[in-house]
Amino acid sequence: MLLTPLIMSSSLIIMLIVLLLPILSTLSPSPLKAQWALVGVKTAVKLAFLISLLPLFLFLDQGAETVVSTWNWMNTLAFNITISFKFDLYSCVFIPVALYVTWSILEFASWYMHSDPNMNRFFKYLLIFLMAMIILVTANNLFQLFIGWEGVGILSFLLIGWWYGRADANTAALQAVVYNRVGDIGLILAMAWIATKMHSWELNQIFILSKDFDVTLPLIGLILAATGKSAQFGLHPWLPSAMEGPTPVSALLHSSTMVVAGIFLLIRLSPMMENNSTALTICLCLGALTTLFTATCALTQNDIKKIVAFSTSSQLGLMMVTIGLNQPQLAFLHICTHAFFKAMLFLCSGSIIHSLNDEQDIRKMGGMHHLAPFTSSCLTIGSLALTGTPFLAGFFSKDAIIEALNSSYLNAWALILTLIATSFTAIYSLRVIYFVTMHHPRFNAFSPINENNTAVINPIKRLAWGSLIAGLLITSNLLPLNTPIMTMHPLLKLAALLVTVLGLMMALELASLTSKQFKVYPQQTLHHFSNMLGFYPHIIHRFMPKVNLVLGQAIATQTVDQTWLEKTGPKAVCSLNIPMASTVSNIQRGSVKVYLSLFFFTTILALVILLT
Amino acid sequence: MLKILIPSMFMLLTTWTSPFKQLWSTTLMYSFLMATLSLTWLAMPADTGWFYINNYMAYDPLSSPLLVLTCWLLPLMIIASQNHLAVEPENRQRTYISLLISLQIFLILAFSATEMIMFYVMFEATLIPTLIIITRWGNQMERLNAGTYFLFYTLAGSLPLLVALLMYHNSMGSLSYLSLTNLPLTCSDSYADKLWWMACLLAFLVKMPLYGVHLWLPKAHVEAPIAGSMVLAAVLLKLGGYGMMRIMIVLDPLTKELSYPFIILALWGVIMTGSICLRQTDLKSLIAYSSVSHMGLVAAGILIQTPWGFTGALILMIAHGLTSSALFCLANTNYERTHSRTIVLARGLQVVLPLMATWWFLASLANLALPPLPNLMGEIMIITSLFNWSFYTLILTGLGTLITASYSLYMFLLTQRGPIPHHLILLEPSHTREHLLLALHLLPLLLLIAKPELVWGWAA
């Protein structure tokens, strides 16, 4: 009976150690071997994946969940912070998925980055990033979660800014951190509130105690945190900008791990949230807005990575909607399935970008179906899975979400936005396939197209298997927490498919329209809105920093520090004393008349005072 | 205490008698031995309360981290100054080291004093060596102005404290910390008592410095030589925080309402000085303003007077001491190579000095309070205790963390990332000495993660 938790916790600890070993080995002063990236890191991740399957199987077989609490880290006045890991449904399923995806991405990166002199360092960053993510997922108290949370944030700073000679990469890196930091304010708010009211950061205790409090305020903080990390509307521009990083980074950070951290936070703390309708409504509306807005932006982008990035953002919005529906488990399911096909889409686009000599513009691609058949087939599979084609990975989660949405009595506005966004998914996915794989090539004749490398084929293939079967595997093994609605109107049941097909038809129609010109001047307002990302970055990225920088320069530095504080403080002392000092010294110039008259007046004054 | 204090005094003798060839190595070794010995202060024989050495000196969990920090910083200052003093004649080098040692003696006496007046005298005495260091070894003409500001702000702030302390002594008959807690409270609501309250805190608020009376700090930091900047940021500012925590006990009934404007001013200062950092062109000035910003948070944490506030303030003081000192050292490595403090003139240094970039990165992360560094532990405790007082403080503290992250990473990006400018040729490679210096700053910080209760203060 005691064997299960023992095996479970020890294998998870072994997994952490296995991942930690390569990081520790970099501390040795001797330079790393060139093979370290593949032999050290990739093998470690692969091994960790295999080890992490053991607790997963134990969980599936016996439903075993365990919490490991060791080492009382900090203790102030009855407020304890311990190192505490939680291995429950979410972490047991997420860790193997994350490790599997990372394993593929690392192998791909060894090909993609092979000319980079600092490849070992790159792998090290990826591994530390993965560690931070695992800490976040397994954390059982908010402080530990915060470590993972900030860890992924700062590693994304390093990885986005990997090509640090480029100003754009540095800007994007800073942008990511600043947007995330706005979200962190929310997390700090929640932590502060919980610490003052509940006197514990342990998740279990928070869940028990939250029944006795009105937890709207900390929940809003948590939603703000998730908005920052998961690029929800308002704090979304960093995610597409982050495509400045190398493609493996985009695949790992901005598709399947880091950006889902915000959603994961809400899933993790969903017991706190389930009875609070204000928070749920905020999530629902925010998610719906995000999913539609970013899907709209994706429609007219020309950079292949940007399209995939926006589709990530749109899917994150869908997950947020699911949280708002109070179906955290479905959101979690979508995280898991989304990880496979989104990572694969990124790897495929990476392979294509590499093949076309670092060309990212889809208008300069085309005909890849003949030249790179494997990559383009997988790109198609990924896009189909993304749109929710039946029985691919995306279907199982997306369809369930839309069903739950349709059968709920919540906000119809949010529902319509989400449905429109779902049909947009089909449009931009088709657009990618249409421009990249179909028709004739539109690129230079001497492109180094070569996908025949095991380091390209194998990872994409593994993820393609994942995109095909992961949805089925996960749904058939996990018991849903909320009872799904079994019977419904056929129209509602088919809504997700219908809007997708509708989107597809529209996209095909639009595609055939591109070669025809019915009007002299095309109507471009909508296009500009979508292409310029709703003008959001242009407004916010000019306005907010300008306010702060003007505050810093004109008010804080010049007006206050250099003028007011200086003039009323030290300079005032100076200017008040100088006239007196100069008067006194001017009097004493050695002229006898002045001395005598001063003496005379002083004597008179003294006499007057004495006599009166 | 005497175990350290007497060797410190004899170190002056060593400085002047050791052969010139071994001057730096001897003093360095000597000060390191003392720093190692001083670590024993962290082991508290009793769980809480004082550890008595004699009638005049004692330490408790509040002062011992600061004492250890003081001792730890002397060898670091010696390492840091070695290069820029190499051109000076022998006697001046000896004088310089002697000044640093005398500063350590004064600081140990200040932190270990059990009498308020003793603390006051030592608090003032630290001005002398610091003033000489700034005005004699600074690099530019403005150093004289900076010295004047430094001296007169502190003096003007602390003279009322002397009067207040004498008054208190007159009525109570004792100023010993050991008995302060047992004395009856004397404050009433009269204007005189409010003035007395103000007089007690003003000196420390100026020393911290509170926003509004901070003008001396950036000037002093910018003009001081590296050792001066280090000790100023790491220890001297903490005298203010330490003194405030000590004197808070006797101010009790008045403090609650009277401190509100100061808390708000401190938090507002966090934002204002953070914004100033975003527009700084001068590297040392940027770091100095970031010190003001962090110390504003410390001041707010102390004035709120909860156990969490005090603990957070103490942790943040120690963490900030190590971090800002490390940042000044990094700025100095740039300065010694480019002979300019202007940020835009030394960009893209990661290409030239790759390992230095790692130190820059770690120091910037510590500055922006990345979990689980002690900086974060301190900040989050202060933020929580302020939040407990009023929800609205979170707007200020939250914006403060945002701005702190922005300017820290901006500083890192600007100095380390990007292409290297063409005028930066013939840069010296970084010395082992510099790496050692930074490792000795950042390693304690990293090790404190594992056992933060060492710098917890009395809440442990």
Side-chain angles (χ1 to χ4, degrees):
Chain A
M1 195 54 208
L2 285 170
L3 204 60
T4 312
L6 184 69
I7 294 175
M8 196 145 166
S9 46
S10 52
S11 57
L12 281 158
I13 299 298
I14 290 171
M15 179 203 76
L16 285 177
I17 291 170
V18 164
L19 287 177
L20 200 62
L21 275 179
I23 300 176
L24 291 181
S25 73
T26 59
L27 290 177
S28 129
S30 57
L32 295 169
K33 293 191 187 70
Q35 285 303 308
W36 179 81
L38 269 182
V39 177
V41 181
K42 199 197 85 177
T43 320
V45 173
K46 191 168 152 186
L47 194 62
F49 165 66
L50 293 173
I51 296 171
S52 74
L53 286 178
L54 194 62
L56 176 68
F57 292 153
L58 277 176
F59 170 74
L60 291 179
D61 183 47
Q62 310 181 355
E65 299 193 355
T66 170
V67 168
V68 183
S69 279
T70 51
W71 190 40
N72 197 343
W73 190 0
M74 284 174 243
N75 172 353
T76 47
L77 300 176
F79 189 96
N80 287 313
I81 297 177
T82 48
I83 296 283
S84 171
F85 294 100
K86 189 184 179 82
F87 301 117
D88 63 342
L89 158 72
Y90 298 128
S91 41
C92 279
V93 177
F94 188 84
I95 290 175
V97 172
L99 287 170
Y100 183 83
V101 169
T102 311
W103 167 30
S104 306
I105 291 171
L106 288 178
E107 191 171 348
F108 180 82
S110 70
W111 171 76
Y112 193 84
M113 304 294 285
H114 67 93
S115 59
D116 196 304
N118 293 323
M119 196 166 86
N120 284 340
R121 192 194 295 163
F122 184 74
F123 272 62
K124 182 164 81 173
Y125 287 175
L126 287 180
L127 192 60
I128 299 175
F129 172 82
L130 184 71
M131 284 296 287
M133 192 67 202
I134 290 178
I135 290 173
L136 192 157
V137 172
T138 54
N140 193 30
N141 68 46
L142 283 180
F143 191 77
Q144 215 176 321
L145 190 137
F146 196 41
I147 295 173
W149 181 268
E150 287 287 298
V152 291
I154 224 62
L155 260 297
S156 78
F157 171 81
L158 283 177
L159 286 165
I160 297 168
W162 178 252
W163 286 309
Y164 55 79
R166 285 188 3 211
D168 277 353
N170 289 333
T171 321
L174 189 60
Q175 199 177 328
V177 171
V178 171
Y179 272 113
N180 275 311
R181 200 76 188 185
V182 176
D184 291 349
I185 298 176
L187 192 57
I188 291 174
L189 162 68
M191 285 172 75
W193 192 93
I194 289 170
T196 38
K197 295 284 190 314
M198 301 183 180
H199 308 289
S200 173
W201 279 337
E202 294 288 318
L203 291 180
N204 303 342
Q205 296 185 27
I206 293 174
F207 296 154
I208 295 169
L209 289 171
S210 65
K211 309 258 181 313
D212 309 336
F213 292 96
D214 175 23
V215 285
T216 314
L217 187 65
L219 282 178
I220 289 174
L222 290 174
I223 293 170
L224 179 64
T227 309
K229 202 61 125 198
S230 290
Q232 298 296 310
F233 185 79
L235 301 176
H236 61 281
W238 70 270
L239 180 57
S241 305
M243 295 302 121
E244 285 296 331
T247 308
V249 172
S250 313
L252 182 60
L253 276 72
H254 303 112
S255 68
S256 47
T257 48
M258 174 187 165
V259 293
V260 299
I263 304 290
F264 191 87
L265 176 76
L266 293 183
I267 295 175
R268 183 55 103 197
L269 290 162
S270 56
M272 220 175 136
M273 203 181 210
E274 59 197 4
N275 296 320
N276 192 308
S277 61
T278 319
L280 290 177
T281 312
I282 293 175
C283 283
L284 187 73
C285 295
L286 183 68
L289 194 60
T290 310
T291 186
L292 181 65
F293 180 80
T294 45
T296 315
C297 292
L299 289 179
T300 52
Q301 295 305 307
N302 292 319
D303 186 327
I304 184 168
K305 281 178 72 180
K306 283 254 163 87
I307 302 180
V308 184
F310 273 115
S311 83
T312 307
S313 221
S314 177
Q315 297 305 308
L316 290 168
L318 188 65
M319 294 174 204
M320 195 62 142
V321 168
T322 323
I323 304 268
L325 290 173
N326 203 4
Q327 300 270 18
Q329 211 185 9
L330 278 184
F332 179 70
L333 184 63
H334 198 53
I335 287 181
C336 294
T337 53
H338 176 253
F340 289 101
F341 56 78
K342 194 44 65 73
M344 184 175 69
L345 281 178
F346 267 113
L347 294 195
C348 289
S349 49
S351 157
I352 290 167
I353 290 167
H354 215 300
S355 294
L356 299 184
N357 225 349
D358 296 336
E359 182 57 64
Q360 304 202 0
D361 194 329
I362 54 169
R363 289 169 299 183
K364 298 183 187 168
M365 295 176 181
M368 290 305 283
H369 189 60
H370 300 290
L371 298 165
F374 181 78
T375 310
S376 27
S377 319
C378 287
L379 187 73
T380 315
I381 293 176
S383 298
L384 287 177
L386 176 69
T387 49
T389 312
F391 313 121
L392 293 183
F395 170 76
F396 291 94
S397 49
K398 207 170 174 180
D399 198 57
I401 291 171
I402 304 278
E403 252 172 39
L405 188 69
N406 283 339
S407 53
S408 72
Y409 298 101
L410 293 170
N411 207 324
W413 176 76
L415 186 141
I416 292 168
L417 291 193
T418 316
L419 282 181
I420 298 174
T422 313
S423 72
F424 279 2
T425 313
I427 302 183
Y428 60 71
S429 300
L430 181 80
R431 189 160 170 269
V432 171
I433 298 171
Y434 183 85
F435 274 97
V436 175
T437 62
M438 291 151 94
H439 296 295
H440 302 291
R442 295 180 296 276
F443 43 81
N444 290 334
F446 295 108
S447 295
I449 301 175
N450 182 12
E451 56 166 15
N452 297 318
N453 189 324
T454 46
V456 187
I457 299 254
N458 284 344
I460 297 184
K461 194 159 63 186
R462 271 201 295 275
L463 289 173
W465 280 116
S467 313
L468 292 174
I469 58 170
L472 182 66
L473 276 182
I474 299 174
T475 28
S476 48
N477 281 312
L478 287 189
L479 289 175
L481 289 179
N482 302 21
T483 326
I485 294 177
M486 292 300 178
T487 56
M488 57 182 89
H489 194 271
L491 194 63
L492 290 183
K493 178 76 190 162
L494 291 175
L497 278 181
L498 284 181
V499 289
T500 308
V501 171
L502 203 68
L504 201 67
M505 309 285 269
M506 267 162 56
L508 283 173
E509 184 64 20
L510 281 174
S512 73
L513 279 178
T514 45
S515 50
K516 305 184 181 82
Q517 196 170 14
F518 291 122
K519 286 186 190 162
V520 183
Y521 297 110
Q523 186 79 32
Q524 283 195 319
T525 323
L526 281 175
H527 170 268
H528 286 332
F529 178 82
S530 159
N531 191 253
M532 306 301 282
L533 318 179
F535 307 107
Y536 187 89
H538 299 87
I539 298 167
I540 296 296
H541 290 186
R542 297 294 295 181
F543 179 69
M544 299 300 284
K546 195 171 175 197
V547 168
N548 198 352
L549 291 178
V550 166
L551 173 77
Q553 180 80 0
I555 298 176
T557 310
Q558 289 171 344
T559 316
V560 177
D561 263 32
Q562 289 176 348
T563 314
W564 270 99
L565 291 179
E566 188 86 40
K567 291 280 181 207
T568 56
K571 288 278 156 59
V573 173
C574 198
S575 56
L576 284 176
N577 278 313
I578 283 176
M580 290 194 271
S582 57
T583 316
V584 173
S585 72
N586 279 346
I587 292 170
Q588 305 175 24
R589 280 181 182 163
S591 70
V592 180
K593 272 186 197 168
V594 179
Y595 289 150
L596 282 177
S597 51
L598 263 180
F599 175 71
F600 179 71
F601 282 122
T602 329
T603 321
I604 294 287
L605 197 69
L607 280 174
V608 168
I609 292 169
L610 277 176
L611 293 177
T612 50
Chain B
M1 203 58 59
L2 292 179
K3 255 187 307 202
I4 304 295
L5 206 57
I6 292 172
S8 297
M9 289 169 184
F10 275 90
M11 194 176 158
L12 288 171
L13 205 65
T14 316
T15 313
W16 287 94
T17 50
S18 63
F20 181 58
K21 214 173 140 193
Q22 276 118 31
L23 171 64
W24 289 93
S25 42
T26 319
T27 48
L28 181 62
M29 184 65 195
Y30 198 121
S31 54
F32 257 129
L33 282 177
M34 280 197 300
T36 319
L37 263 182
S38 77
L39 293 177
T40 51
W41 288 335
L42 290 174
M44 283 288 146
D47 277 345
T48 47
W50 291 89
F51 189 70
Y52 302 91
I53 314 298
N54 55 41
N55 285 343
Y56 306 105
M57 286 191 279
Y59 63 85
D60 72 344
L62 176 64
S63 56
S64 68
L66 290 161
L67 280 166
V68 173
L69 182 68
T70 309
C71 294
W72 186 249
L73 216 73
L74 179 63
L76 300 190
M77 287 193 289
I78 293 177
I79 300 178
S81 310
Q82 209 167 349
N83 191 30
H84 81 94
L85 281 186
V87 288
E88 304 242 347
E90 183 186 334
N91 278 344
R92 286 198 206 144
Q93 295 191 15
R94 290 187 198 271
T95 317
Y96 192 80
I97 298 178
S98 312
L99 283 171
L100 298 182
I101 297 166
S102 68
L103 199 52
Q104 160 155 322
I105 296 171
F106 291 142
L107 281 168
I108 291 179
L109 284 170
F111 284 128
S112 62
T114 54
E115 277 283 326
M116 224 30 169
I117 288 290
M118 167 94 148
F119 171 73
Y120 178 82
V121 171
M122 289 306 148
F123 178 83
E124 297 288 308
T126 53
L127 286 179
I128 304 164
T130 322
L131 187 71
I132 299 174
I133 289 173
I134 294 174
T135 50
R136 172 60 192 80
W137 274 277
N139 287 307
Q140 299 174 75
M141 263 309 285
E142 284 81 18
R143 66 178 190 270
L144 300 174
N145 194 15
T148 321
Y149 270 58
F150 170 66
L151 185 67
F152 280 95
Y153 261 91
T154 321
L155 274 186
S158 57
L159 281 177
L161 175 67
L162 180 63
V163 179
L165 286 180
L166 292 177
M167 267 178 64
Y168 192 71
H169 190 264
N170 207 21
S171 62
M172 286 295 152
S174 164
L175 276 175
S176 173
Y177 297 138
L178 310 173
S179 58
L180 278 185
T181 40
N182 305 324
L183 292 179
L185 298 168
T186 50
C187 286
S188 62
D189 253 353
S190 65
Y191 283 108
D193 272 345
K194 282 177 186 158
L195 269 178
W196 177 74
W197 181 92
M198 191 62 232
C200 283
L201 282 188
L202 189 68
F204 303 127
L205 289 174
V206 170
K207 194 79 185 184
M208 284 284 270
L210 185 73
Y211 182 68
V213 280
H214 65 281
L215 284 191
W216 62 274
L217 183 74
K219 284 194 170 51
H221 267 313
V222 166
E223 297 306 329
I226 172 63
S229 297
M230 282 167 71
V231 73
L232 199 55
V235 195
L236 290 179
L237 301 186
K238 278 66 190 176
L239 274 173
Y242 173 77
M244 252 161 83
M245 288 199 215
R246 286 291 188 213
I247 207 162
M248 270 302 180
I249 308 164
V250 297
L251 303 175
D252 213 12
L254 271 179
T255 316
K256 208 173 140 238
E257 281 80 23
L258 281 181
S259 62
Y260 290 170
F262 293 97
I263 297 176
I264 294 161
L265 189 62
L267 291 180
W268 179 239
V270 172
I271 298 208
M272 289 298 260
T273 46
S275 308
I276 292 175
C277 286
L278 285 171
R279 290 303 285 258
Q280 277 302 321
T281 51
D282 181 326
L283 192 53
K284 280 183 98 174
S285 180
L286 198 166
I287 303 167
Y289 269 110
S290 107
S291 288
V292 181
S293 159
H294 281 104
M295 293 310 282
L297 212 52
V298 172
I302 295 172
L303 286 171
I304 203 80
Q305 293 189 89
T306 56
W308 266 49
F310 272 9
T311 304
L314 187 59
I315 300 178
L316 189 55
M317 281 204 284
I318 300 295
H320 170 261
L322 290 166
T323 311
S324 65
S325 175
L327 281 171
F328 276 118
C329 291
L330 285 165
N332 189 56
T333 56
N334 279 5
Y335 184 77
E336 284 180 3
R337 287 174 177 74
T338 60
H339 302 289
S340 162
R341 299 186 312 260
T342 312
I343 304 178
V344 283
L345 289 180
R347 281 175 298 166
L349 290 178
Q350 179 166 17
V351 182
V352 194
L353 310 169
L355 190 52
M356 234 16 154
T358 313
W359 297 123
W360 269 101
F361 187 61
L362 286 177
S364 306
L365 290 190
N367 202 42
L368 67 80
L370 189 84
L373 289 170
N375 304 59
L376 176 99
M377 296 177 190
E379 282 193 17
I380 204 152
M381 286 183 134
I382 293 172
I383 291 175
T384 307
S385 50
L386 287 171
F387 181 83
N388 197 18
W389 168 56
S390 160
F391 162 72
Y392 297 101
T393 55
L394 194 96
I395 301 170
L396 293 173
T397 47
L399 275 178
T401 54
L402 175 66
I403 294 174
T404 309
S406 309
Y407 70 72
S408 303
L409 288 176
Y410 164 73
M411 175 177 73
F412 171 73
L413 284 179
L414 206 56
T415 55
Q416 304 303 307
R417 296 294 174 89
I420 189 154
H422 298 295
H423 66 267
L424 282 186
I425 40 175
L426 292 176
L427 283 183
E428 244 180 287
S430 40
H431 302 280
T432 316
R433 179 179 59 84
E434 289 163 345
H435 290 309
L436 177 68
L437 176 60
L438 284 154
L440 289 176
H441 273 110
L442 295 174
L443 281 181
L445 202 60
L446 294 174
L447 291 175
L448 275 179
I449 295 172
K451 200 167 170 59
E453 61 257 43
L454 289 180
V455 293
W456 236 202
W458 42 34

